Amino acid sequence: MTEKYQQKLELARKALIHNDYESANLYLKELSNQFPNQAPIFSFLVEYTNVKSRGGNILDKIAQPVKQPIEQYKSKRVERRDIPLSQDLKKLPITVLVISWDIGHNPLGRAYMLAEAVQRVAGNVLLAGYQFERYGKDIWEPVRESKIPIISLKGKLLPELLEEAEQIVKRYTPDVVIACKPRLPSVNLGMLFKAHKGIPLVIDVDDHELSFTKGKSDIPLAELNEFPEKFSNITEPYESEWTQLSHNLVDFADEVIVSNVALEKEFGGHQIPHVRDETTFDPSRFDSAKVRRQYGVPEKARVVMFFGTPRVHKGIGKVAQAVAQIDDDNFLFIVVGTSPDKRVTSELERLSNGRLLNIPNQPFSSIPEILSMADLVCLPQDVTHETSKYQLPAKAMDAIAMCKPLLVSNTVPLKQLVDDGVAELIDEHDLASQIYSVANRAPSAEKLKKRKEKFLSNYSYKSAESTLREIFRSVLNKKGNIDITEQEIFWESLRNAFVPKVRSNSLSGIDVVLFWNRMIQGCMDVGTIWSLNCYQSVMMSEKF
């Protein structure tokens, strides 16, 4: 660049340093006119000095996110739907929508179970859920060929998920909504049905979702409104931060369902375990010897069974070792489920000393048949893990339903089964001897009868009927209107987090600030570097 250019640039710089915006503006305009190729570089500073010379603020020229004033939501209400219910009806004349936050993996299991149980008391049941590609592009395999059709909703990212949910609410009008798991996709949709149409919302909690998140603690809803920038780049609605927020959305439910006593202490509500259909989970329906021949299991084998996804951290390795230690070649460890890590199966084969039979993933309908082969079901848990403290494994219910001896770890939810007389605590000191003893212990007819009675009264679909009926009558008998002020504030805060910060069309010039190291600076003309540095300094001073 010429010496004249450098001199004029220096004059503009000094004028800016001394806040002489009129002089700086004249110098910058002269530079732009005399050196037109450099004009785009100075466009922002010309605009800036124009505004400042008039006593304005350059940030006033930049479009900011348009936030809805919170005041507009004060005392916003919606009328509840009025559905009169006769007391003597076997099935309530209502449509219940059960929502799974994802249908591509195991959250669908609990939702499907609830939908089947709801069929006992409601005239019509719909089961729907989001299909997020991260968890698969098809319905979860165990219930893919289910009796209840599963409605697949496209799993979009935020904020598009909100728009999609609002469209769904416009198209459907159930009488009750059950949102399974306090996760944003399912609970948000349920809340929209309640806020837009006055439809009762029931939230089902079968795990402590915070035990799966990075932070392990909830995030107050106020943070979304006060610090939206913390969430603006988290577009996946199933990420930890949204789950931590959703923990507090449970308060918007009309009723809460929980799966076990530990969750009941935390959330209150009505307890419905992972109940099973007593018409299909019936030991009398199966010939154990015939089923064993079908799966290649010796009739004389003593079968110790683990049902579920095999992972070494679950303690399944200890069971494999215990089976290997038993001085009886008839003992066989059957693991029903495919591990995503093939090394786990190899390790179990080694630990069991070759006494392992791995049956791949099975449809839900095959569970009773496969369990008929078992002499003992062993379901170890890591008692120190946060998840285990609140988790009641569904496979424990399968074993109870089939009247099989069951060994479990000492967690609060599983201790409930021990107290009910349908399970025994695992002997951590001598598991091999315990397995040998229990597997060889032929239960008396009286013992089997008591197990069956306990299953029917506590863990069957039949046992859930009265609880579900009570819940539906409770939420549908509520009269008047619903104050949805806080829900509307939540949604507006959620939208504002994703409002793009777009610059005004009236402001032309530099759109991106680049930071260069010394080596790159040497390759740039001094005018460009100076302008960029000025832009950075100006924006910092205007902001703060």
Side-chain angles (χ1 to χ4, degrees):
M1 289 293 173
T2 66
E3 184 177 348
K4 182 180 178 181
Y5 176 87
Q6 299 288 356
Q7 290 174 348
K8 193 77 70 174
L9 196 64
E10 182 63 16
L11 288 172
R13 187 185 71 82
K14 287 181 178 179
L16 270 173
I17 290 173
H18 292 95
N19 298 327
D20 184 359
Y21 298 112
E22 290 186 9
S23 298
N25 184 256
L26 289 174
Y27 293 135
L28 290 164
K29 284 181 178 178
E30 289 177 14
L31 281 167
S32 297
N33 293 331
Q34 294 172 11
F35 304 94
N37 290 336
Q38 301 296 99
I41 294 174
F42 298 109
S43 61
F44 168 77
L45 291 174
V46 170
E47 180 72 16
Y48 170 72
T49 51
N50 259 330
V51 172
K52 295 297 287 186
S53 65
R54 297 193 300 268
N57 189 322
I58 192 65
L59 293 185
D60 295 337
K61 304 274 292 181
I62 300 177
Q64 299 298 312
V66 179
K67 293 188 177 183
Q68 296 287 349
I70 295 301
E71 289 76 13
Q72 70 168 304
Y73 294 121
K74 285 184 178 178
S75 300
K76 189 167 184 180
R77 295 176 177 273
V78 63
E79 287 295 321
R80 291 186 181 274
R81 301 188 72 221
D82 185 16
I83 303 177
L85 297 175
S86 173
Q87 293 290 332
D88 58 353
L89 290 173
K90 181 178 180 182
K91 276 195 175 187
L92 302 176
I94 59 174
T95 295
V96 178
L97 172 63
V98 181
I99 306 170
S100 176
W101 79 262
D102 180 76
I103 61 173
H105 69 308
N106 61 4
L108 181 57
R110 171 75 176 183
Y112 184 82
M113 176 276 292
L114 278 176
E116 282 203 330
V118 167
Q119 279 188 323
R120 301 286 186 94
V121 297
N124 192 30
V125 178
L126 297 174
L127 175 57
Y130 290 97
Q131 185 92 62
F132 292 104
E133 288 194 8
R134 175 184 286 189
Y135 302 102
K137 297 182 179 181
D138 203 348
I139 294 170
W140 188 47
E141 187 178 4
V143 294
R144 194 171 295 166
E145 304 297 329
S146 61
K147 294 181 291 184
I148 299 178
I150 299 168
I151 301 169
S152 178
L153 309 174
K154 187 171 179 56
K156 296 185 177 181
L157 301 181
L158 293 168
E160 289 80 6
L161 183 78
L162 305 179
E163 300 168 6
E164 178 70 13
E166 288 175 350
Q167 293 304 313
I168 292 168
V169 170
K170 289 178 182 178
R171 294 196 296 267
Y172 300 101
T173 307
D175 299 306
V176 178
V177 173
I178 301 178
C180 294
K181 290 185 178 290
R183 295 273 188 151
L184 185 62
S186 53
V187 174
N188 171 70
L189 183 54
M191 287 169 57
L192 283 169
F193 273 111
K194 180 176 179 178
H196 288 197
K197 295 185 174 181
I199 295 169
L201 171 62
V202 180
I203 295 180
D204 175 61
V205 185
D206 74 317
D207 275 312
H208 205 304
E209 299 301 316
L210 295 182
S211 66
F212 301 108
T213 64
K214 291 179 290 187
K216 306 299 181 187
S217 60
D218 70 308
I219 295 177
L221 297 181
E223 282 198 25
L224 181 59
N225 185 52
E226 295 171 8
F227 308 105
E229 64 278 2
K230 289 176 59 175
F231 305 91
S232 59
N233 293 322
I234 310 171
T235 58
E236 296 87 353
Y238 38 75
E239 288 296 346
S240 287
E241 289 81 357
W242 296 119
T243 301
Q244 289 170 269
L245 270 173
S246 298
H247 180 83
N248 294 295
L249 298 180
V250 177
D251 292 339
F252 294 129
D254 292 287
E255 291 285 359
V256 174
I257 297 172
V258 293
S259 65
N260 62 72
V261 64
L263 291 171
E264 186 178 3
K265 290 177 181 177
E266 179 82 7
F267 295 93
H270 304 260
Q271 193 179 149
I272 298 180
H274 301 302
V275 290
R276 293 296 183 245
D277 186 349
E278 64 277 5
T279 64
T280 57
F281 282 80
D282 182 358
S284 66
R285 295 177 59 235
F286 303 97
D287 181 340
S288 177
K290 182 179 178 180
V291 176
R292 287 190 175 201
R293 288 193 295 272
Q294 179 182 334
Y295 286 91
V297 176
E299 189 171 343
K300 293 183 178 180
R302 285 285 180 261
V303 173
V304 181
M305 189 172 287
F306 174 90
F307 218 119
T309 304
R311 304 181 195 276
V312 172
H313 77 266
K314 288 184 177 180
I316 188 174
K318 292 182 180 179
V319 180
Q321 284 180 315
V323 171
Q325 292 168 8
I326 296 173
D327 187 18
D328 186 341
D329 292 337
N330 285 323
F331 270 80
L332 180 65
F333 186 29
I334 295 183
V335 175
V336 186
T338 304
S339 175
D341 186 348
K342 293 182 179 179
R343 292 173 297 179
V344 173
T345 304
S346 298
E347 178 66 3
L348 292 176
E349 177 76 26
R350 183 187 68 80
L351 292 172
S352 66
N353 197 22
R355 294 180 178 177
L356 177 72
L357 174 61
N358 187 206
I359 298 176
N361 289 338
Q362 298 295 309
F364 191 77
S365 58
S366 296
I367 294 175
E369 176 184 77
I370 292 173
L371 273 168
S372 70
M373 296 188 289
D375 293 293
L376 167 66
V377 174
C378 196
L379 296 176
Q381 298 279 298
D382 180 356
V383 297
T384 65
H385 199 284
E386 283 300 312
T387 303
S388 299
K389 295 177 182 179
Y390 294 93
Q391 192 174 70
L392 179 65
K395 299 310 175 187
M397 298 297 102
D398 297 335
I400 293 168
M402 292 299 289
C403 296
K404 296 297 179 180
L406 174 64
L407 297 182
V408 298
S409 299
N410 192 11
T411 65
V412 173
L414 290 170
K415 184 66 165 52
Q416 182 180 2
L417 305 181
V418 177
D419 294 341
D420 276 350
V422 292
E424 297 179 41
L425 288 178
I426 287 175
D427 185 342
E428 299 289 348
H429 304 291
D430 194 358
L431 181 56
S433 296
Q434 184 185 31
I435 287 175
Y436 180 84
S437 174
V438 174
N440 281 299
R441 185 196 307 156
S444 65
E446 184 63 23
K447 183 75 171 179
L448 289 174
K449 181 182 177 183
K450 286 184 178 180
R451 284 181 187 168
K452 186 70 173 181
E453 289 173 350
K454 186 62 70 173
F455 162 63
L456 291 174
S457 62
N458 289 14
Y459 306 109
S460 66
Y461 281 2
K462 184 177 178 61
S463 70
E465 285 183 33
S466 58
T467 304
L468 288 169
R469 191 180 296 274
E470 177 187 348
I471 291 171
F472 296 152
R473 288 195 180 279
S474 170
V475 298
L476 291 171
N477 283 335
K478 291 181 179 180
K479 305 300 180 184
N481 53 39
I482 308 166
D483 186 338
I484 60 169
T485 307
E486 292 185 39
Q487 291 96 311
E488 291 287 354
I489 292 173
F490 166 73
W491 283 312
E492 201 54 55
S493 301
L494 193 53
R495 293 186 188 97
N496 285 335
F498 293 97
V499 174
K501 292 178 174 61
V502 183
R503 293 182 60 202
S504 168
N505 292 333
S506 64
L507 182 63
S508 59
I510 299 172
D511 295 304
V512 179
V513 179
L514 304 176
F515 299 90
W516 300 83
N517 62 30
R518 293 181 182 274
M519 184 177 294
I520 297 176
Q521 284 185 12
C523 302
M524 297 180 65
D525 70 83
V526 65
T528 303
I529 296 169
W530 181 82
S531 297
L532 290 171
N533 287 339
C534 282
Y535 179 86
Q536 175 192 357
S537 300
V538 164
M539 295 306 292
M540 292 294 286
S541 64
E542 291 290 345
K543 185 174 182 181
F544 298 105

